[in-house]
């Protein structure tokens, strides 16, 4: 049994990770300030003797004894990370420093949940880990994009300078149960609008593409990455390489929900990427990992979740 800390553990991804780690027999400390996380997400774990919830902001130091750390703390949807841009970049940068400091003191292995947003609006397609990205450093999304890029820098410098055992993954668009219905991300937006028979909002022409990964596939990739030897640190892309246009996604959602919604088009937000698709060659080679849940199957699970929780 390992003693594992998950920062951002009450969030969408974090809560699924906590459950998986508990199921594997570990003791889990869930660290979260509940800005976008929710006690409801971890309600089934509260009574477990191997689970501990700590209401704490990662911009402040935290001390405990741990074997492993998953650093997930940071709002991930544009609505939430733009709400307080300065707080967002502090969470990414100071949070990374505090978690790395804890890992250094405890000689713990630490995984950084980075993001495909570090590639910005890519001019290479699909995106391999060797691509440095095309990011606007002064835009509306920069607090998140550049915060995550700086966090990767910190992880690499703690590795090179202090020999901290690090892992870096870059998470591509992920969806599934426990996403917030009002978080502004495309899959949850479209499903909620369709279930309520409201107009379905498409930004731009709908021709921009994304690759959508179901939450269970992501969690499997994260754990496999954490369990690799110290010689492989990443970064490694974790995402589904099957590419869909936003318009295709909207049409799938309407069909699966039997919605009467109409599609309406609105202007594209600032710095919205035109394409996003992971090259997962490295994940397949190093982690023996690839996604197994196709979009139609995952959407059915998520639609059922929102039907019961809206």
């Amino acid at each position: 049994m390992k003693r594992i800390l998950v920062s951002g553990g009450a969030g969408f991804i974090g809560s699924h990770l906590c459950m998986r780690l508990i199921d594997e027999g570990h003791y889990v400390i869930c660290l979260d300030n509940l800005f976008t996380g929710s006690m409801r997400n971890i309600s089934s774990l509260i009574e477990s003797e191997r689970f501990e919830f700590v209401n704490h902001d990662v911009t402040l130091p935290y001390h405990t004894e741990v074997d492993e750390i998953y650093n997930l703390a940071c709002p991930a949807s544009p609505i939430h990370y733009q709400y307080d841009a300065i707080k967002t970049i502090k969470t990414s940068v100071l949070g990374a420093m505090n978690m790395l400091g804890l890992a250094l003191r405890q000689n713990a292995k630490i995984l950084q949940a980075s993001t495909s947003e570090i590639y910005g609006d890519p001019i290479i397609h699909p995106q391999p880990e060797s691509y440095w990205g095309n990011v606007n450093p002064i835009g509306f999304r920069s607090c998140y994009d550049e915060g995550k890029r700086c966090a990767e820098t910190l992880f690499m410098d703690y590795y090179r300078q202090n020999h901290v055992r690090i892992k870096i993954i870059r998470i591509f668009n992920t969806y599934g149960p426990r996403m917030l219905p009002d978080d502004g991300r495309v899959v949850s937006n479209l499903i909620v609008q369709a279930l309520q028979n409201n107009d379905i909002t498409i930004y731009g022409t709908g021709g921009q593409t994304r690759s959508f990964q179901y939450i269970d596939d992501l969690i499997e990739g994260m754990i496999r990455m954490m369990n690799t030897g110290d010689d492989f640190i990443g970064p490694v892309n974790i995402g589904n390489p099957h590419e869909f246009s936003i318009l295709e996604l909207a049409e799938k959602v309407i069909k699966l929900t039997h919605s009467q919604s109409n599609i309406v088009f609105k202007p594209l937000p600032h710095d919205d990427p035109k394409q996003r698709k992971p090259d997962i060659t490295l994940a397949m080679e190093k982690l023996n990992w690839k996604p197994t849940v196709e979009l139609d199957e995952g959407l059915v699970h998520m639609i059922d979740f929102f039907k019961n929780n809206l």
Side-chain angles (χ1 to χ4, degrees), residues 22-23 49 83 105 113 121 188 227 246 250 253 262 268 293:
I22 291 285
D23 288 344
E49 294 180 350
Y83 173 77
R105 293 189 298 272
D121 189 3
S188 50
N227 290 338
I246 300 302
V253 168
N262 296 312
L268 203 62
V293 180

Side-chain angles (χ1 to χ4, degrees), residues 119-128 131-135 274-275:
Y119 298 121
D121 189 3
I123 57 177
I124 291 178
H125 192 74
Q127 295 80 57
Y131 178 48
W132 291 356
N134 177 38
V135 178
K274 299 175 188 67
Q275 292 179 304

Side-chain angles (χ1 to χ4, degrees), residues 55-301:
N55 192 326
H56 184 84
D57 191 319
V58 293
T59 61
L60 303 172
Y62 181 71
H63 304 279
T64 190
E65 294 182 359
V66 286
D67 301 302
E68 292 178 352
I69 302 167
Y70 289 83
N71 185 39
L72 278 64
C74 189
S77 71
I79 285 177
H80 292 135
Y81 68 63
Q82 292 173 13
Y83 173 77
D84 187 341
I86 294 171
K87 178 68 172 178
T88 294
I89 200 164
K90 282 184 174 181
T91 300
S92 285
V93 177
L94 296 179
M97 292 178 69
N98 287 327
M99 292 297 101
L100 283 162
L102 178 60
L104 176 61
R105 293 189 298 272
Q106 294 292 316
N107 190 31
K109 190 186 296 186
I110 180 168
L111 181 144
Q112 167 66 5
S114 191
T115 171
S116 61
E117 296 294 337
I118 66 102
Y119 298 121
D121 189 3
I123 57 177
I124 291 178
H125 192 74
Q127 295 80 57
E129 291 86 353
S130 58
Y131 178 48
W132 291 356
N134 177 38
V135 178
N136 176 4
I138 58 171
F140 290 99
R141 302 168 69 102
S142 305
C143 59
Y144 184 71
D145 300 0
E146 296 288 28
K148 288 289 191 176
R149 286 164 68 92
C150 184
E152 286 197 18
T153 302
L154 283 164
F155 266 69
M156 290 304 302
D157 287 339
Y158 268 77
Y159 167 73
R160 286 185 285 245
Q161 188 170 326
N162 295 324
H163 310 294
V164 173
R165 295 181 296 150
I166 69 164
K167 305 286 178 183
I168 300 173
I169 62 169
R170 292 173 178 166
I171 300 172
F172 281 69
N173 285 60
T174 303
Y175 68 98
R178 297 191 211 126
M179 289 187 81
L180 295 172
D182 58 350
D183 73 358
R185 286 185 275 194
V186 63
V187 178
S188 50
N189 264 8
L190 298 186
I191 291 175
V192 170
Q193 289 171 343
L195 288 174
Q196 296 177 338
N197 289 310
N198 294 330
D199 287 343
I200 284 187
T201 307
I202 298 290
Y203 294 97
T205 64
Q208 64 271 36
T209 64
R210 298 291 185 272
S211 46
F212 301 101
Q213 167 179 237
Y214 190 65
I215 183 65
D216 291 356
D217 286 330
L218 169 61
I219 299 303
E220 180 65 26
M222 295 176 78
I223 289 175
R224 289 192 186 199
M225 180 59 173
M226 181 64 93
N227 290 338
T228 56
D230 292 346
D231 57 328
F232 180 60
I233 63 173
V236 60
N237 292 334
I238 304 293
N240 192 318
H242 295 165
E243 189 176 13
F244 297 88
S245 72
I246 300 302
L247 190 56
E248 284 180 290
L249 174 64
E251 290 167 348
K252 281 182 177 291
V253 168
I254 289 173
K255 180 180 178 181
L256 291 170
T257 57
H258 308 289
S259 176
Q260 302 301 310
S261 297
N262 296 312
I263 295 176
V264 298
F265 296 88
K266 293 188 177 182
L268 203 62
H270 290 280
D271 300 323
D272 194 59
K274 299 175 188 67
Q275 292 179 304
R276 190 63 64 71
K277 175 183 175 180
D279 180 332
I280 63 167
T281 304
L282 191 61
M284 292 171 67
E285 175 189 338
K286 296 292 189 180
L287 310 180
N288 192 27
W289 175 92
K290 63 180 180 180
T292 61
V293 180
E294 294 301 334
L295 182 58
D296 283 35
E297 178 188 351
L299 287 176
V300 168
H301 294 316

